[in-house]
Each structure stands twice: as structure tokens, then as C-alpha cells.
Amino acid sequence: MNQSRRKFIQSTGAAAGTLAFPSISLSQNSKGKRPNILYLCSDQQHWQAQGSVDPFFDTPHQDALYAESTVFENAFCTTPQCSPSRSSMLTGFYPHTTEMLNNANSLGGTDLDLPTIGSHLQKAGYKTGIFGKWHLGDHPIGNSGWNEENKRGPDAKTTERGLDFLDRHANHDKPFALFLMYLDPHDIYHYKPGQSDVRIDDVELPESWYHQNFDAVPKVHREFMEHNQGEFIINANEETWKGYRDFYRQKVKLYDDHVGRVVDRLKSLGLWDSTIVINTSDHGDMDTFHRLVFKGPFMYEHMLRIPMSIRLPCQTERRESDYPWVNVDTVPTLLELAGAEPIDCHGQSVAAILTGKGREPKRDYVISQYYGKQTWVNPIRSIRTAKWKYNLYTDWGEELYDLEKDPEEIVNLSQNRKYVQQKNRLKNQLNLWIDDHVDPFYSYQTTPLKRNEAKTILKG
């Protein structure tokens, strides 16, 4: 284990309060076949966008899946941006290491040139398939590892390809690992006030919508809304903002329908109790919280927290863990569950939490990164504990939130003298992580907003 990896584990090694579960065994068939893997991933679904968390959302299929899964109630992405987050979930490394700081084909973006979990599982004897959104470029190393692939949508085609893959591999001697990467609810970007078909009679706007003070937070938040992707809605009435929430709810429901189709096929083929099923997302959406939409240069909970559940074969009840999952944990976790060779990466395996066997990992804070969108660069680093969140911008100041007293992050305490010591403790922890991981955060330069860009680019 290299020094950086050892320091990472030490720096995240305090008690996390994880629950103890009865042990679960990963069963093998008479031929010793390893468990299959089904990985379901939405695009831009925040952690509250699930009916089991907030009844406003209609997600019966995900809710049913969670009823038989281990649900990580504190799950986070490494960065609230498509390509860099996906690079983390598929390699086990933070974006500053994958070098996918931004979306592919954007400033700071590149083509992923590290091996993904597909390659690791192939070496372990798995037949691998990936269908749907890729968004990680064309480098041959990053793209290798898949026996079958079609790295594009639309979602209906992704499901059709996934069902066909399951049909053909149901009785195969080798285990399979199928990754279905969906586009919704990312299509929230298609919301057009006054034109989109929405129902707002049961829609409520969040508390932070009414109490947001743009003067108390870094100025890029207001700039995003006034001169970037928020221009279309910033001065709109409440009905228009409520329409956004309903349109987003509709897109989440479309993803949920695909989950239902795939899980039903898995069961009908007799694969339900021989397959590990994961459901997650790459990052969140502001969903009108803080009078913000989509995603941008801010690190609120609705950006960073994501759905995350894992169902092991033969699991029949919901289990909940407060372990702070980060999506770099995906690769080491699945490799251990698959009995594959482990790799040295930034993530930690949570197999012990899932099975009740072995030493459970601990993590006392979560680090998240942000670089920019398209050509607008505004680097941010965030450190989050169970109680506090501290965000540091290279040029635009700081934020400090008491998550216990202020879960919607309405009051920025970074300039309050009463909290100077707490802020400095978090900043020191953050800087230690930056140093230990050779994170070039302080070398990044901000760039001015190109105001015509937002009118033509609504991707990622």
C-alpha cells in the first residue's frame, strides 16, 4: 500500500456509527459460480428524489428494491459533475487523479485513461456489459474491459439492450456484470416554462427557496442564475418554479420505470437470488433549493448527496447504514464481493457492512471537489462531517454550515466570529487531505463566465 493510500485511510478512520447487521453469505451455485452484478445508475438524481425518502416523488420500483437492500443514507459523489463523477465511480479515484476535472470536451476535461471496473471484473472471469451514457472520452485504456457495449442512449434503448443481455446470459457458465447508465432525470434541462406539461397542485417549494440570501454566499451563485443557466427562471413567479419541481419529478419517474422493467426481467429469469443489485446516481440537482436549478459552482447537499443501495443475493429486508459512502467506494466494494483481486485506490470496500463479516471501514469526513462547467472554471473544495460542512473557493470566499441545526444550509456561518475555531479546524483538515493526495487545488485559476455559452450548452 502506497503512502498516499495509507494516509487516506488514516485520515478517514474515525468512528462512523455504522450499524451492525446479521451476516449474509454470498451464495455460489453448485459449480462455484460467483454472484452476478447489475449496476443501475441515473443521471442527476439527488438523494431526496426517492419516494421512500420524500413521498413527493413517485418511485415504486426503487422503493421496492430498497425494501430488500442495504441503503446508505449518507452517500456522496466526489464531484457534482457528470464525467468526473463517473470517472470516480468506475475507477475508484478522485477526479484530480483520473484527470477528468470537467466534462469530456470541456475545459479541464479529458479522455479517461485509467482502467475501469470493467477491466478488473473481466480479469476475474466476468462477462461484462455496459449500455447507456458513457461521457468519458475515447481513450483505449479507459474504454477497455467490456465484452459488450453501446455507450449511448436513449434510455429506452439502454433498457432494451440490458434486457437482451440478461436473456442471453441467464444460463451462462460465467457470471456477468451489467452496467446500465441512464440519462434521466438529466432531461430536466428540457423544462420550458409555459410550454412543458406540468401539474403543480401538490408542489411545495423548499424553505431555502424563500430564505435564500445570495449576498451571504459566494457571488458565483448569483452569477450562475443571472447570467448562466438560471436566466430563464430567476425572475419567474412561484408557479414557474413549482413547474420545474414537477418536471423534475416526472423525469425521476421515467428512470424508475426502467428500473422496474430490468428488475422484473431479472426475477423472471431466475437471477434475483444470484445477483448483486446496485442503484445509484452520478450527482444531484438543485431542484429549486436555494433558488437554484440544475447544477453549477456550489456544493449544497442536493448537489453532492446521491441515492445508494446495494442488494446482496437472498437479502429480504431493508437495512440502513449511516456510513458516509463516497462513490470511489464502488470499485473496491464490488471487487471484494466478486472475489476479485483488490486494487489500491482512494475508495474503501464496504463489503463488511453488507455481509456482517470482517472489519467495517470508517470515515469521519467526506471530501468533494469541483472544477467548473464548460469553459467557466470556479474551483471549490468541500469537507463534510456529520455535523459541519465547510466549502472553500479559490477566489470567491468560504461557506460554513451547521448541518444539525441548519440542514437546508440557509445560514452561512463562515464570517461569524463565534465559529472561527470550527472553521479553521475544518480548513486545516481539508488542507491536510489536499497535501496527502497531491491535489493541485491551489494551482487552479478561475476563468470569467462566457455569457453566451449557457444559451447553447445545456449538457453534462
Side-chain angles (χ1 to χ4, degrees), residues 42-328:
S42 63
D43 189 332
Q44 204 154 315
Q45 182 183 4
H46 64 73
W47 97 102
Q48 284 185 330
Q50 310 166 77
S52 59
V53 178
D54 182 353
F56 174 72
F57 291 93
D58 184 17
T59 59
H61 303 296
Q62 291 176 83
D63 297 346
L65 178 58
Y66 298 148
E68 298 184 26
S69 300
T70 299
V71 178
F72 292 88
E73 298 183 310
N74 294 292
F76 302 85
C77 58
T78 56
T79 180
Q81 194 78 318
C82 292
S83 294
S85 179
R86 289 164 186 270
S87 77
S88 291
M89 73 167 71
L90 293 177
T91 68
F93 292 97
Y94 269 79
H96 75 275
T97 297
T98 68
E99 297 186 349
M100 298 214 61
L101 306 176
N102 202 342
N103 284 334
N105 302 316
S106 298
L107 193 62
T110 183
D111 290 351
L112 181 65
D113 63 359
L114 295 177
T116 69
I117 190 171
S119 293
H120 304 313
L121 290 173
Q122 267 191 343
K123 291 178 182 177
Y126 276 75
K127 288 291 186 180
T128 60
I130 188 167
F131 304 108
K133 182 171 181 175
W134 177 242
H135 214 11
L136 295 173
D138 299 319
H139 196 283
I141 294 178
N143 277 266
S144 64
W146 307 103
N147 295 102
E148 299 181 32
E149 63 178 67
N150 193 310
K151 295 171 179 171
R152 63 178 65 87
D155 284 354
K157 286 291 185 181
T158 296
T159 292
E160 289 177 13
R161 291 163 181 148
L163 298 180
D164 176 66
F165 183 96
L166 292 175
D167 289 342
R168 290 183 289 103
H169 290 80
N171 298 308
H172 203 282
D173 289 338
K174 288 187 175 182
F176 65 77
L178 173 61
F179 287 68
L180 299 180
M181 317 297 277
Y182 288 92
L183 297 172
D184 270 323
H186 187 280
D187 279 351
I188 180 61
Y189 286 97
H190 294 164
Y191 174 57
K192 297 185 182 301
Q195 300 179 41
S196 298
D197 185 13
V198 296
R199 177 176 63 86
I200 64 172
D201 57 290
D202 67 337
V203 178
E204 295 182 0
L205 295 174
E207 181 183 358
S208 62
W209 187 89
Y210 295 99
H211 296 290
Q212 178 68 3
N213 178 7
F214 284 113
D215 292 332
V217 295
K219 71 174 187 179
V220 292
H221 296 202
R222 185 195 297 274
E223 192 170 5
F224 172 85
M225 292 302 296
E226 292 182 346
H227 305 296
N228 194 252
Q229 292 180 331
E231 284 183 291
F232 78 102
I233 199 172
I234 186 171
N235 295 317
N237 57 27
E238 288 192 27
E239 286 71 24
T240 299
W241 284 86
K242 289 180 178 180
Y244 181 100
R245 290 215 74 199
D246 180 68
F247 198 75
Y248 182 69
R249 171 171 57 177
Q250 293 179 41
K251 298 307 175 186
V252 172
K253 178 64 167 64
L254 290 176
Y255 169 67
D256 189 76
D257 291 343
H258 290 290
V259 171
R261 289 189 63 196
V262 176
V263 168
D264 284 348
R265 183 63 59 88
L266 197 69
K267 291 178 177 180
S268 69
L269 292 170
L271 299 170
W272 184 236
D273 284 328
S274 59
T275 304
I276 299 167
V277 182
I278 300 94
N279 183 67
T280 191
S281 192
D282 57 353
H283 55 76
D285 183 275
M286 285 311 302
D287 189 17
T288 76
F289 285 78
H290 298 275
R291 283 185 179 257
L292 295 170
V293 291
F294 309 138
K295 59 183 181 288
F298 20 86
M299 304 294 266
Y300 292 115
E301 294 285 274
H302 285 81
M303 286 281 80
L304 299 175
R305 287 182 68 182
I306 54 177
M308 184 63 215
S309 69
I310 302 178
R311 181 193 183 271
L312 296 187
C314 298
Q315 186 169 343
T316 59
E317 62 183 4
R318 177 186 173 108
R319 300 172 172 187
E320 297 173 354
S321 173
D322 59 5
Y323 166 80
W325 166 281
V326 183
N327 62 358
V328 288

